[in-house]
Amino acid sequence: MAESKHELVSQSGTAWNGQTYKEYPAGKPEISVMRMSLPPHSELPWHTHPMPNTAYILSGQLTIEDKETGKTHCVKAGDALNETINSAHRGYTTDDATELVIFYAGVEGQALSESLPGEESEF
């Protein structure tokens, strides 16, 4: 029997931009897992998340941009990204399609993403 392998990809109490996670939302816990596929040269609308969530990049690369500061952070296949809470941001791709899995730690009935006024829905 082959030996199992383990790799802790991410463990942090902060988002990619240094924002500290203060607490989980109050209510009945609900974990959501979403697989997202983004084509090359695409961008998501400006949006926020009301709960902690982490994206794991399966393939390609994704750049996250903070609306207020313009700060960006690029992640590639094999990386994990802790997203911000209630802070407007968007993701975009360059030359490669990107596949990611996103893990949301919210509560029952809570929206996973909230688009800014005038923006399309993220999904």
Side-chain angles (χ1 to χ4, degrees):
M1 179 181 209
E3 224 177 283
S4 66
K5 293 168 59 174
H6 303 80
E7 176 186 2
L8 183 63
V9 176
S10 175
Q11 186 174 44
S12 176
T14 61
W16 67 272
N17 67 352
Q19 178 192 50
T20 300
Y21 294 147
K22 294 183 181 9
E23 60 189 31
Y24 287 103
K28 182 180 178 205
E30 184 173 75
I31 303 295
S32 302
V33 180
M34 177 181 294
R35 185 173 181 142
M36 183 180 282
S37 300
L38 300 169
H41 304 286
S42 64
E43 63 183 38
L44 295 168
W46 293 106
H47 63 278
T48 63
H49 300 288
M51 82 284 283
N53 69 86
T54 297
Y56 180 78
I57 312 303
L58 297 171
S59 65
Q61 74 175 32
L62 183 68
T63 301
I64 303 298
E65 179 181 11
D66 183 87
K67 184 167 178 61
E68 184 178 322
T69 66
K71 183 178 176 181
T72 61
H73 182 72
C74 185
V75 288
K76 62 187 180 336
D79 291 342
L81 169 82
N82 293 342
E83 293 202 59
T84 58
I85 299 173
N86 298 322
S87 176
H89 63 280
R90 68 177 172 184
Y92 60 86
T93 62
T94 53
D95 294 335
D96 298 317
T98 301
E99 291 275 334
L100 56 151
V101 176
I102 310 166
F103 305 86
Y104 299 90
V107 296
E108 193 172 72
Q110 186 176 39
L112 302 178
S113 174
E114 299 169 355
S115 295
L116 297 189
E119 295 282 331
E120 293 183 19
S121 177
E122 181 183 13
F123 35 78

